[in-house]
Amino acid sequence: MKDLCKLFIAFFRIGLFTFGGGYAMLPMLQKEVVEKYKWATEEELMDYFAVGQCTPGVIAVNTATFVGYKQKGIMGGIIATLGVVFPSIIIITAIASVLSNFSDYPIVQHAFAGIRIVVAALVLNVVIKMYKTAVVDRLGIVIFLVSLILGLILSLSPVVYIIVSALIGVLYQKQGGFKKL
């Protein structure tokens, strides 16, 4: 029961203090799941996040479900999922009841603009950390650069990039690849 409470509280904090969606949750997920509780390694968290992006639903919810399930089975998945969504339910209900009255105020618009800037900085920080962990060979650099460029040019689903990259990784591994830089 104590572990389930830890899961709920950790994911409640992540849901409560993260603005901007799944990508913005990456820094807190990394801090809580990898550094503080050691429920997953950086590589596992990236895998959960990648699969969470490919599966239907919200990335943060899917990731919370994966981490919770890994720790405490089905009940852990349910508890972690409830933890991450509960703050949003409370906050959205409260904001929806008053925001329509204040949304045209310049101060509210500027506050949200400031929040978006901070979220972008947090996401960039996580991208840099993930790059250092994930890109370990020349093929990784190529996949990263091609995915980045295509992602900026095309509007393909992230699922396409993940599946193609996974296939390339499997084929490359069969050829005896993956030598560290």
Side-chain angles (χ1 to χ4, degrees):
M1 188 65 168
K2 185 178 179 182
D3 291 336
L4 291 174
C5 286
K6 279 183 187 178
L7 273 170
F8 182 84
I9 291 168
F11 281 100
F12 183 88
R13 269 196 312 264
I14 292 167
L16 183 63
F17 294 114
T18 306
F19 294 89
Y23 295 111
M25 287 185 172
L26 273 172
M28 283 197 73
L29 280 167
Q30 198 267 341
K31 183 177 180 179
E32 293 283 322
V33 172
V34 175
E35 294 173 14
K36 185 175 182 180
Y37 292 108
K38 299 188 184 343
W39 289 329
T41 64
E42 292 230 10
E43 293 81 11
E44 288 173 326
L45 183 60
M46 286 190 292
D47 291 343
Y48 295 153
F49 204 75
V51 172
Q53 205 171 21
C54 294
T55 54
V58 181
I59 298 168
V61 172
N62 294 342
T63 305
T65 305
F66 292 142
V67 172
Y69 182 80
K70 178 188 177 203
Q71 292 307 303
K72 289 291 173 184
I74 292 172
M75 187 55 70
I78 292 169
I79 295 297
T81 301
L82 289 174
V84 81
V85 299
F86 195 64
S88 296
I89 293 169
I90 294 169
I91 293 168
I92 289 170
T93 303
I95 289 174
S97 65
V98 296
L99 187 61
S100 61
N101 299 330
F102 302 103
S103 64
D104 293 332
Y105 287 26
I107 193 165
V108 173
Q109 293 173 352
H110 292 302
F112 281 120
I115 289 170
R116 285 191 299 271
I117 292 167
V118 170
V119 167
L122 291 172
V123 170
L124 179 62
N125 182 36
V126 171
V127 167
I128 292 168
K129 284 182 180 180
M130 289 175 71
Y131 177 86
K132 290 177 182 176
T133 303
V135 180
V136 296
D137 62 1
R138 289 184 184 97
L139 178 64
I141 293 170
V142 171
I143 290 173
F144 173 80
L145 291 173
V146 169
S147 297
L148 178 65
I149 292 166
L150 290 177
L152 294 170
I153 296 171
L154 305 174
S155 58
L156 296 175
S157 168
V159 175
V160 173
Y161 300 109
I162 292 169
I163 290 172
V164 170
S165 297
L167 290 172
I168 291 170
V170 168
L171 293 173
Y172 189 67
Q173 179 66 33
K174 287 188 179 226
Q175 299 297 320
F178 292 121
K179 295 174 181 74
K180 299 268 183 184
L181 288 173

